[in-house]
Amino acid sequence: HESLQPEVRTWRAADVSRPYGGDSQAAFDRIRARVVYLPCDGDRYFTVEAARREAARLGADRARVSVIESAWGHRAGDPWRRQGAEKEAAHIRREVRLLLDES
């Protein structure tokens, strides 16, 4: 069984606002890449609402949200390891293709 402790430490230490004196919007403003957020509607770690808030901070010209509808929850973002998650894998492939085509 995997320990989540290293992951939690990473999440807590990964403060993108630190170089900007705690101003997270200044950090977001430095991002130039186009972004697609792919939250799952059943994810309790990274919620759809949180993804929408973060995308809004980047702006509609740089970010969009495409919700994965799935019973897999957080694991929907890694469908290649589980049989029965073909729909989720297809959604992710389609969105990545769209993102690359927009570039």
Side-chain angles (χ1 to χ4, degrees):
H1 185 274
E2 281 183 44
S3 170
L4 290 177
Q5 288 179 337
E7 232 173 299
V8 170
R9 277 196 297 273
T10 299
W11 291 343
R12 289 182 177 162
D15 181 359
V16 298
S17 71
R18 190 174 298 136
Y20 304 97
D23 183 351
S24 59
Q25 189 58 52
F28 276 85
D29 289 344
R30 301 273 306 175
I31 297 170
R32 297 291 173 244
R34 296 204 31 85
V35 177
V36 60
Y37 287 86
L38 296 167
C40 174
D41 59 356
D43 193 334
R44 293 185 183 189
Y45 293 112
F46 303 103
T47 65
V48 171
E49 188 52 43
R52 287 185 175 139
R53 282 193 307 268
E54 204 166 292
R57 294 180 78 184
L58 286 169
D61 59 323
R62 289 183 289 161
R64 63 184 173 79
V65 176
S66 179
V67 179
I68 302 170
E69 295 178 8
S70 172
W72 286 103
H74 186 68
R75 297 291 183 191
D78 184 18
W80 294 272
R81 295 187 198 193
R82 43 200 60 75
Q83 194 171 8
E86 292 80 11
K87 175 184 72 149
E88 292 82 349
H91 182 95
I92 293 168
R93 281 190 193 98
R94 181 175 53 254
E95 290 300 327
V96 170
R97 225 177 274 120
L98 283 171
L99 180 68
L100 294 173
D101 287 347
E102 293 169 355
S103 300

